[in-house]
């Protein structure tokens, strides 16, 4: 994804009240979603904040898939990056709760996992990149500043 484009992915939001489908959009700088009528945005998936009063993301799970071209030795194939973000309980007065992100890249019949990362999306993606063959590159860009 280039910094000039906006992409959208379908996903799910789950908490104690149940599950509902969501759409997540990213423009290379910001990630955005709406959950139960509240808009959230942030520079990374793990730091989504309500854009107005009344919404706090905690004790919930967001999951979505991102189609991602992968170039290996000059051959491009379509892969899927499955994302699972778990947001822990937010202690009273705390700006955020514990965020755990797990990515799995499914490509060419193999699965590459980031494991659970307490940091951002870029760190999790870098963990996967280190597992891939040396001549492998991700096509496009996701969250240029993350």
């Amino acid at each position: 994804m280039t910094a000039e484009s906006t992409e959208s992915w379908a996903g799910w939001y789950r908490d104690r009240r149940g599950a509902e489908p969501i759409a997540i959009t990213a423009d290379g700088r910001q990630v955005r979603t709406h959950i139960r009528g509240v808009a959230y945005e942030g520079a990374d998936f793990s730091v989504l904040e309500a854009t107005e009063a009344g919404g706090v993301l905690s004790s919930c799970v967001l999951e979505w898939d991102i189609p991602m071209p992968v170039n290996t030795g000059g051959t491009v194939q379509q892969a899927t990056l499955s994302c699972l973000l778990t947001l822990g309980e937010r202690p009273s007065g705390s700006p955020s709760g514990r965020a755990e992100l797990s990515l799995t890249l499914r490509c060419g019949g193999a699965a590459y996992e980031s494991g659970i990362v307490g940091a951002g999306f870029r760190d999790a993606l870098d963990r996967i990149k280190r597992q891939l063959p040396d001549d492998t590159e991700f096509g496009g860009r996701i969250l240029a500043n993350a």
Side-chain angles (χ1 to χ4, degrees):
M1 175 173 82
T2 64
E4 297 82 33
S5 68
T6 298
E7 294 204 31
S8 181
W9 310 290
W12 286 93
Y13 170 82
R14 291 180 176 80
D15 66 8
R16 293 180 191 120
R17 293 176 34 200
E20 69 177 64
I22 59 171
I24 298 172
T25 60
D27 64 9
R29 293 178 305 276
Q30 291 286 311
V31 178
R32 294 176 181 83
T33 191
H34 283 79
I35 300 170
R36 297 189 177 129
V38 178
Y40 296 88
E41 67 179 44
D44 194 318
F45 297 99
S46 62
V47 293
L48 291 171
E49 292 290 335
T51 59
E52 51 194 61
V56 173
L57 289 176
S58 70
S59 299
C60 63
V61 173
L62 287 84
E63 59 184 311
W64 65 100
D65 288 338
I66 300 174
M68 179 180 286
V70 175
N71 184 335
T72 303
T75 302
V76 177
Q77 59 183 318
Q78 193 60 35
T80 300
L81 185 66
S82 296
C83 309
L84 176 66
L85 176 63
T86 303
L87 299 172
E89 188 68 36
R90 185 179 284 209
S92 180
S94 174
S96 65
R98 180 172 171 83
E100 296 179 340
L101 180 64
S102 177
L103 303 180
T104 303
L105 180 70
R106 290 177 176 78
C107 179
Y112 304 91
E113 297 186 6
S114 68
I116 295 175
V117 179
F121 184 81
R122 181 63 54 204
D123 291 336
L125 201 57
D126 285 344
R127 282 187 179 191
I128 289 175
K129 174 86 170 101
R130 288 191 298 267
Q131 298 172 48
L132 298 173
D134 290 338
D135 62 346
T136 302
E137 295 291 328
F138 296 124
R141 292 177 5 170
I142 298 175
L143 289 182
N145 297 327

